[in-house]
């Protein structure tokens, strides 16, 4: 069934063809996969904001509280910063807290927001409007492309790149290293990188975080099927797919899957595909890597950065690491 006009979002042609290309590649592969960035349309972004409020998902709360405590120290360690780039700002709430002590200085700050979701950019821009002397520049792009755009812009002082919320965890180790290396390459000597990342914790705690009892994460995951229905005229029946989170201890990651409850065929005309599922076969929709504090420090060091400080919330098992080039 096609979506009613009221729910049909405006999709730029380049976005929808990139989605179709990823769906074509991912659902024809074995195992079937989809890049996690497609979880974030308007509904997915709203569901992710709801996940951040859940008692079982500690990342956002822990990091927000740490930023409130540590932002003045971070601002003191980077006295010349006038240009802040955040990759994946979400609601912008954490960036507002990070920027508060910077914005109290006399100089004008430029905040570059990089996100694939226009809804997230709208929300973050609204949140930052409460800070005086902060000029917002939006980059509707994936992280690497947005980073290139943001760092090509002229700047009057030092630069801080904020990569928070354990967004790094959604990258496999090779691409994660490559992204940190690109960030490091965009920094001049004295510029900073603030990396917020989730740490390994007991399996039960991780499974509750990624398969919460309210079913919000399940809805977030299943929404990518609904998105294929809306944007690619697919005929996925959402009830025939189960949300599954599994802790892969060897790889150090939580995986999200959509598991076909039965053998079935699904048509995805917008991607030129008919997809066959066997019972129990899954689409792997996201990996969330979990780290040890030393591993996070090494990631920056491998990219030529120095660790200024690392703060660990021992209860939530979350780390903020400040690097300088
Ligand atoms: C955005 N990202 C860091 C979240 C995570 O924890 O991997 C996305 C998420 N997936 C399920 N719950 C939250």
């Amino acid at each position: 069934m096609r979506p009613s006009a009221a729910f049909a979002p405006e999709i730029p042609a380049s976005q929808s063809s990139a989605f179709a290309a990823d769906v074509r590649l991912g659902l024809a592969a074995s195992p079937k996969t989809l890049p996690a960035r497609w979880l974030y349309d308007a509904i997915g972004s709203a569901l992710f904001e709801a996940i951040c409020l859940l008692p079982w998902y500690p990342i956002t709360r822990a990091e927000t509280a740490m930023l409130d405590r540590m932002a003045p120290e971070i601002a003191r360690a980077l006295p010349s910063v006038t240009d802040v780039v955040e990759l994946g700002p979400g609601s912008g709430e954490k960036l507002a807290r990070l920027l508060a002590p910077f914005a109290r200085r006399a100089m004008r700050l430029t905040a570059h927001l990089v996100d694939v979701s226009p809804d997230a950019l709208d929300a973050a821009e609204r949140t930052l409007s409460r800070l005086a002397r902060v000029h917002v520049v939006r980059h509707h792009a994936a992280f690497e492309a947005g980073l290139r755009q943001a760092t090509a812009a002229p700047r009057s002082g030092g630069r801080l790149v904020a990569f928070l919320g354990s967004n790094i965890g959604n990258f496999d180790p090779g691409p994660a290293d490559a992204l940190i290396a690109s960030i490091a390459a965009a920094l001049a000597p004295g510029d900073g990188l603030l990396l917020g990342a989730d740490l390994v914790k007991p399996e039960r705690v991780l499974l509750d975080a990624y398969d919460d009892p309210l079913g919000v994460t399940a809805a977030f995951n299943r929404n990518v099927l609904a998105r294929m229905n809306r944007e690619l005229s697919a005929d996925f029946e959402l009830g025939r797919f189960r949300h599954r989170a599994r802790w892969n201890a060897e790889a150090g990651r939580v995986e999200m899957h959509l598991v076909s409850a039965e053998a079935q065929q699904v048509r995805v005309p917008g991607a030129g595909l008919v997809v066959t599922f066997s019972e129990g076969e899954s689409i792997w929709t996201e990996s969330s890597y979990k780290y040890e504090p030393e591993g996070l420090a090494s990631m920056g060091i491998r990219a030529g950065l120095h660790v200024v400080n690392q703060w660990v919330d021992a209860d939530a098992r979350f780390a903020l690491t400040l690097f300088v080039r």
Side-chain angles (χ1 to χ4, degrees):
M1 197 173 78
R2 294 195 55 80
S4 73
F7 289 100
E10 283 295 321
I11 315 294
S14 60
Q15 261 288 92
S16 67
S17 62
F19 185 35
D22 278 354
V23 168
R24 197 174 308 122
L25 207 68
L27 296 194
S30 176
K32 294 178 170 55
T33 58
L34 280 178
R37 59 182 282 225
W38 300 114
L39 294 165
Y40 299 90
D41 63 353
I43 296 175
S45 298
L47 287 167
F48 177 62
E49 287 306 315
I51 288 173
C52 294
L53 300 173
L54 295 175
W56 305 278
Y57 188 79
I59 292 182
T60 318
R61 250 182 325 280
E63 191 176 42
T64 307
M66 287 174 96
L67 286 170
D68 277 340
R69 285 197 304 278
M70 309 313 172
E73 194 174 332
I74 294 167
R76 276 196 300 277
L78 297 166
S80 68
V81 164
T82 56
D83 192 274
V84 177
V85 180
E86 184 173 11
L87 305 180
S91 70
E93 193 51 50
K94 288 180 291 187
L95 185 59
R97 286 156 192 260
L98 172 63
L99 292 188
F102 288 92
R104 278 195 288 272
R105 294 173 180 165
M107 32 205 197
R108 190 172 149 85
L109 270 183
T110 301
H112 292 270
L113 310 177
V114 176
D115 212 295
V116 287
S117 159
D119 303 277
L121 290 171
D122 289 346
E125 194 170 1
R126 266 196 309 277
T127 305
L128 291 181
S129 67
R130 74 177 187 234
L131 296 176
R133 287 198 297 275
V134 175
H135 167 63
V136 172
V137 183
R138 301 159 59 113
H139 304 276
H140 180 210
F143 294 148
E144 296 251 12
L147 179 70
R148 275 195 300 277
Q149 290 169 17
T151 55
R155 53 159 164 165
S156 52
R159 171 175 288 147
L160 170 64
V161 175
F163 196 24
L164 303 174
S166 211
N167 282 325
I168 186 70
N170 296 138
F171 289 77
D172 286 323
D177 270 348
L179 182 56
I180 299 293
S182 315
I183 295 173
L187 301 178
D191 287 347
L193 163 64
L194 183 65
L195 181 67
D198 203 19
L199 302 178
V200 174
K201 52 197 109 207
E203 180 170 357
R204 189 63 260 155
V205 176
L206 287 170
L207 293 183
D208 276 351
Y210 288 85
D211 190 4
D212 64 89
L214 278 177
V216 183
T217 312
F220 171 67
N221 197 10
R222 277 209 190 96
N223 176 56
V224 79
L225 302 178
R227 182 174 188 177
M228 287 188 271
N229 289 352
R230 283 191 296 271
E231 296 181 24
L232 303 174
S233 308
D235 58 3
F236 282 97
E237 284 181 39
L238 274 53
R240 297 170 86 185
F241 288 84
R242 281 188 297 107
H243 165 70
R244 178 157 148 245
R246 81 179 266 262
W247 169 238
N248 181 333
E250 208 179 314
R253 66 184 178 224
V254 178
E255 297 170 3
M256 281 203 326
H257 293 264
L258 288 162
V259 183
S260 178
E262 57 203 273
Q264 55 180 315
Q265 266 198 348
V266 179
R267 291 179 331 106
V268 193
L273 272 183
V274 176
V275 193
T276 304
F277 290 90
S278 52
E279 183 183 337
E281 187 178 5
S282 81
I283 308 174
W284 183 359
T285 50
E286 185 190 67
S287 297
S288 290
Y289 285 83
K290 305 299 167 187
Y291 304 90
E292 294 298 343
E294 309 71 38
L296 291 166
S298 308
M299 214 184 258
I301 292 166
R302 277 198 297 280
L305 302 174
H306 302 281
V307 177
V308 178
N309 212 337
Q310 185 172 63
W311 301 273
V312 174
D313 179 325
D315 294 330
R317 299 265 311 144
F318 190 87
L320 269 183
T321 311
L322 179 62
F323 298 96
V324 72
R325 166 92 190 265

